[in-house]
Amino acid sequence: MVAIVSAIVVCLLSVVVAVTGDHKKCTLELPTNGSRDVYCEAIPYKVDLSRTDGLTALDASNNNLDGIYLASDKNVTLSALDLSGNNITTVCHVLTSDAVKVDSMILSFNKINDFTLCSEVRNLTLSWNHMRSLKKADMVNASRLEVLDLGHNFILWIENDTFAGVPGLQWLDLRGNALTGISENMLPSATLRHLDVSENNGLDGSTTVFQPFENLVELNIARNARLAPIVLGSGPRLQALDASHTNLTEVPVTPAPLLGSLVLSGNAIEAVNSGDLDAFPLLRMLNISANRIGMVEDDAFGRLYLLAVLDLSGNRLTAVPKSLPDGLEMLDLSANRIRSLNVDDFTGCRRLKVLNVRGNGLRHVQDLTFAPLLFLDTLDLSDNPIAMITREMLTGPVRLKVLKLESLTAASLTPVFPFTDTRYLNRMQLARSPHLAAILLNDTAVLSSMLQLEHLDLTGCAVTALPGRLAYWMPKMRTLVLDEPVRCAPGSSWLSDWLCDMLRAFEESPGYRGPAETELRLRNYRRPPVIVSPAENVRCKRDDGHVQRVLDVQRCRAATTTAATTSRSTHPAITATERMAIAARLRADDGTKNKHATAAAAAVVVVAEPSVVPATSRLGAATFTCVVLALVLLTCGTVWIGARAHALGRLRWRQSAADVDYLNIEIKSLESLHHHHVERW
């Protein structure tokens, strides 16, 4: 009886659990039903991995474990073992047999106060534990260590020569501890490539020496207020330096010819002078945000020929700096005091892709200011009191993908929607800009040109009604953000159909399916993940004030299944001609009725020909036969008049078919045929 019950449990969970008589062994097997969760009623100390061929990662986090022993009859190599969020007090309570090798071990958020290792790993994470010191004796079995994360413990001191027996240590993370000083005898200065000592609030510049660390590639000393002034030495191999929030009053002087990333945010720097950055000729990313910079000399950035990212946000600039590098790709000037933008401000930035001037108090933007920025990808003009935004003002960026015009409440004098070159536009944010939102929703020409738009944010715009053809004008739309229910339009199902499409895309996304097939999550509780699509929470408001849900999940899934089956049986494939017809229809100008009706009728004929046209042909043939039998004795003139009347009737049928909105039926059937296989027009 016990064997039968155990077999049923095994089938339901797709996990082979063989419990020995002493209840201390659990044998795992990779599930075959697509699930990555394996379940043991009580995870024992010993877990057998003999039946997990191909297993690469095991997640046993958040199980209240005091320890675990991994064993196997044959060789098993785990790239990652996650034991975070348990009750483990020492690393030696995690053991493996000789056949089991672990490359990376994660023991964050435990209760470890003893570092001593009993098994060799290459990558060890011990952040957010209770360690207070490091001693040379702790590193007996740490000869393979290359990466060690000790962040956010309570480490006060490190014994000299602690890492002498760890010849391969290259990455050391000591952030968020209580260290007061660093010396070459304390850390492996000869081998370290990456060192993070940020957020050690007691770290003193007088007892901290970085000169001997000549092999460092990346150094993070952020949030150590007592370090300034910083003496970094020569840094011949240094490529990344983070010295943010260290009370610097000027750019640090250190010869670092290979430095590519420099972060100096949150300091007290008041000016950037010509020559301050000459020591970093290969600099590609410079962040001097949240300082007190009010003056930048004309040639301060001019010799940084490789600079691609420049962040000057949160300063006191009143104008765009001059002599910006030609290769600049990202420029952040947000939260400054720039009141106007002129046509010559960005003339030298022809490769600029991202420009942010949010929150500057901008009142005027000169026409054609952005004209030189032919490759601009993202533009943010939000939170500025611009009185009027014209189309000439935004002329130029022909490849714009992200446009942010949020909180432009002063732009009430803007007569038309200011941006029309929407061929590549993917995301548009108009939150708290009700005037611009109202113009957009009433501009059919602009709406129908947004064929690539996927995200539209209209929160705070008091939008209560949406155009009925919104989903057809913007066929790739996936996110529409509103902060209040829209009006329920009687007899219109376009919003529900669109939500069905979004729900289907959500359920077929990679994140919905779960992790990779070679990863297991070991759990001592049954709690299947519940994933709810945002589309299920959409509400609309009826004329009587009642608020109801728009999406009927059951009807949506049933309709999707039926449509897919019907489409596969009647339309085995969509030809290139049909796709061209659909694209032509979607690009048609809705403001010109005759042109749109012609395109729609042409699409109806192409798509619906196998099902609609044959039925009509049969009706026409029967009618023609009856007319011939009834009028066999009439004169030729009477026959001719009858034929004309019949042809007129067929023409009227085609006109009425063109006036009826068949687009919903056709588009949905095509979507079910080629969902996630053919780009949506």
Side-chain angles (χ1 to χ4, degrees):
M1 187 65 180
V2 174
I4 296 175
V5 174
S6 300
I8 295 174
V9 173
V10 168
C11 293
L12 291 176
L13 298 174
S14 298
V15 179
V16 177
V17 182
V19 182
T20 62
D22 57 2
H23 301 284
K24 291 183 179 179
K25 185 178 180 181
C26 178
T27 303
L28 301 183
E29 184 173 315
L30 287 173
T32 58
N33 64 345
S35 171
R36 296 298 103 205
D37 282 302
V38 294
Y39 168 74
C40 289
E41 187 172 346
I43 297 177
Y45 180 70
K46 183 177 181 180
V47 177
D48 189 354
L49 304 178
S50 301
R51 302 182 184 178
T52 55
D53 292 338
L55 181 67
T56 62
L58 177 62
D59 181 352
S61 59
N62 302 307
N63 278 302
N64 296 320
L65 294 175
D66 296 325
I68 193 169
Y69 175 55
L70 301 179
S72 177
D73 295 337
K74 51 188 176 182
N75 292 333
V76 175
T77 300
L78 295 178
S79 61
L81 172 62
D82 189 349
L83 293 167
S84 59
N86 284 291
N87 295 320
I88 300 171
T89 58
T90 177
V91 185
C92 278
H93 287 173
V94 180
L95 296 172
T96 60
S97 67
D98 293 338
V100 178
K101 304 298 181 183
V102 178
D103 184 63
S104 299
M105 188 182 299
I106 303 172
L107 290 166
S108 302
F109 295 99
N110 277 279
K111 300 177 181 178
I112 296 172
N113 50 34
D114 181 9
F115 180 80
T116 305
L117 289 175
C118 294
S119 59
E120 293 188 347
V121 294
R122 187 188 63 84
N123 187 329
L124 180 61
T125 300
L126 292 171
S127 57
W128 299 97
N129 277 285
H130 300 163
M131 286 179 291
R132 296 183 178 275
S133 64
L134 288 176
K135 303 179 293 296
K136 187 175 181 180
D138 295 337
M139 301 293 166
V140 174
N141 292 320
S143 59
R144 285 190 62 220
L145 270 181
E146 296 179 9
V147 179
L148 178 59
D149 185 350
L150 296 169
H152 297 287
N153 279 272
F154 301 95
I155 299 175
L156 294 167
W157 66 278
I158 300 175
E159 185 182 5
N160 287 342
D161 298 325
T162 293
F163 299 99
V166 192
L169 189 63
Q170 299 183 25
W171 194 303
L172 180 60
D173 192 335
L174 293 168
R175 71 192 186 281
N177 281 285
L179 294 171
T180 58
I182 293 176
S183 67
E184 60 180 323
N185 296 323
M186 184 184 299
L187 302 181
S189 58
T191 62
L192 274 185
R193 301 291 185 271
H194 306 267
L195 176 62
D196 189 343
V197 291
S198 59
E199 301 179 48
N200 282 270
N201 294 323
L203 206 59
D204 193 342
S206 61
T207 59
T208 299
V209 182
F210 291 105
Q211 289 96 329
F213 297 88
E214 294 186 353
N215 291 317
L216 278 180
V217 173
E218 181 177 0
L219 176 62
N220 189 342
I221 55 177
R223 298 187 181 277
N224 289 296
R226 298 172 58 187
L227 269 181
I230 302 168
V231 180
L232 299 175
S234 60
R237 294 179 175 83
L238 197 63
Q239 298 179 21
L241 172 63
D242 188 344
S244 56
H245 299 277
T246 52
N247 281 338
L248 286 172
T249 57
E250 59 184 11
V251 177
V253 179
T254 175
L258 299 182
L259 195 70
S261 172
L262 178 60
V263 181
L264 301 174
S265 63
N267 284 295
I269 301 173
E270 297 183 354
V272 182
N273 300 310
S274 180
D276 284 352
L277 300 166
D278 286 353
F280 318 120
L282 301 183
L283 203 62
R284 290 187 54 82
M285 193 282 288
L286 176 60
N287 183 346
I288 325 181
S289 62
N291 277 270
R292 304 171 186 173
I293 299 174
M295 189 272 292
V296 176
E297 287 193 2
D298 287 353
D299 200 30
F301 306 118
R303 290 187 290 275
L304 298 176
Y305 301 112
L306 300 180
L307 191 66
V309 179
L310 177 59
D311 189 346
L312 288 166
S313 61
N315 281 287
R316 302 174 181 177
L317 295 173
T318 58
V320 178
K322 304 298 181 183
S323 301
L324 293 173
D326 294 341
L328 200 63
E329 296 180 3
M330 299 178 63
L331 177 60
D332 191 345
L333 296 170
S334 61
N336 276 278
R337 302 174 182 178
I338 303 172
R339 297 295 182 261
S340 64
L341 295 178
N342 302 315
V343 71
D344 57 345
D345 283 341
F346 307 107
T347 52
C349 304
R350 298 186 180 276
R351 299 181 184 178
L352 198 65
K353 295 180 180 179
V354 178
L355 176 60
N356 187 353
V357 289
R358 174 189 287 260
N360 267 279
L362 276 174
R363 298 183 179 277
H364 175 70
V365 179
Q366 190 175 357
D367 290 350
L368 304 178
T369 293
F370 308 113
L373 309 179
L374 299 179
F375 298 98
L376 194 65
D377 181 275
T378 301
L379 176 62
D380 192 347
L381 290 171
S382 306
D383 296 307
N384 285 299
I386 305 175
M388 181 180 292
I389 305 177
T390 64
R391 290 180 174 176
E392 291 75 13
M393 184 185 301
L394 297 182
T395 298
V398 294
R399 297 180 177 271
L400 201 64
K401 294 181 180 179
V402 179
L403 178 60
K404 300 180 182 181
L405 300 174
E406 301 176 333
S407 299
L408 297 181
T409 54
S412 57
L413 300 178
T414 301
V416 294
F417 196 74
F419 189 72
T420 58
D421 203 339
T422 59
R423 288 173 291 175
Y424 298 94
L425 198 63
N426 177 267
R427 183 185 185 97
M428 184 159 59
Q429 297 178 201
L430 300 178
R432 301 173 302 282
S433 297
H435 182 68
L436 288 177
I439 294 176
L440 174 65
L441 294 179
N442 287 294
D443 194 331
T444 302
V446 174
L447 285 175
S448 60
S449 67
M450 294 183 178
L451 300 177
Q452 304 297 326
L453 197 70
E454 295 183 7
H455 182 102
L456 178 60
D457 188 349
L458 298 174
T459 54
C461 295
V463 176
T464 58
L466 295 171
R469 307 186 67 81
L470 192 63
Y472 310 132
W473 288 329
M474 294 182 277
K476 288 191 175 182
M477 185 170 60
R478 281 291 172 264
T479 306
L480 178 60
V481 187
L482 301 169
D483 56 354
E484 56 183 283
V486 296
R487 184 175 61 84
C488 298
S492 176
S493 62
W494 74 267
L495 184 56
S496 178
D497 291 339
W498 173 63
L499 292 176
C500 280
D501 190 30
M502 188 172 69
L503 177 64
R504 182 168 62 252
F506 174 79
E507 292 181 346
E508 294 181 4
S509 63
Y512 188 82
R513 297 189 186 112
E517 295 181 356
T518 56
E519 298 179 4
L520 284 185
R521 288 166 44 96
L522 182 59
R523 293 288 177 263
N524 61 3
Y525 54 87
R526 291 189 186 94
R527 188 177 298 173
V530 178
I531 303 178
V532 179
S533 168
E536 299 181 38
N537 298 322
V538 178
R539 303 289 192 273
C540 69
K541 190 174 184 179
R542 298 190 320 206
D543 292 338
D544 58 3
H546 180 71
V547 178
Q548 66 184 36
R549 180 176 294 181
V550 175
L551 180 64
D552 184 345
V553 177
Q554 299 301 327
R555 183 194 66 81
C556 172
R557 288 173 179 159
T560 300
T561 304
T562 303
T565 304
T566 304
S567 298
R568 281 192 296 268
S569 62
T570 57
H571 306 291
I574 296 180
T575 65
T577 304
E578 292 170 334
R579 287 198 299 270
M580 291 175 61
I582 296 166
R585 178 184 59 203
L586 291 171
R587 287 175 171 81
D589 184 2
D590 194 68
T592 309
K593 261 191 172 181
N594 293 335
K595 182 179 178 182
H596 181 78
T598 304
V604 169
V605 172
V606 171
V607 177
E609 183 178 359
S611 57
V612 177
V613 175
T616 307
S617 299
R618 289 193 298 269
L619 178 61
T623 305
F624 179 75
T625 303
C626 293
V627 169
V628 171
L629 292 176
L631 302 178
V632 67
L633 299 178
L634 295 180
T635 62
C636 294
T638 305
V639 174
W640 180 79
I641 294 174
R644 287 292 304 272
H646 177 69
L648 183 60
R650 287 180 59 85
L651 178 59
R652 287 175 178 171
W653 177 86
R654 284 188 177 274
Q655 289 176 344
S656 63
D659 292 336
V660 175
D661 186 8
Y662 283 99
L663 297 179
N664 187 27
I665 300 173
E666 296 159 17
I667 288 179
K668 292 304 170 184
S669 64
L670 292 177
E671 287 174 359
S672 61
L673 267 171
H674 282 253
H675 186 60
H676 294 300
H677 295 286
V678 179
E679 184 181 2
R680 292 184 60 200
W681 323 304

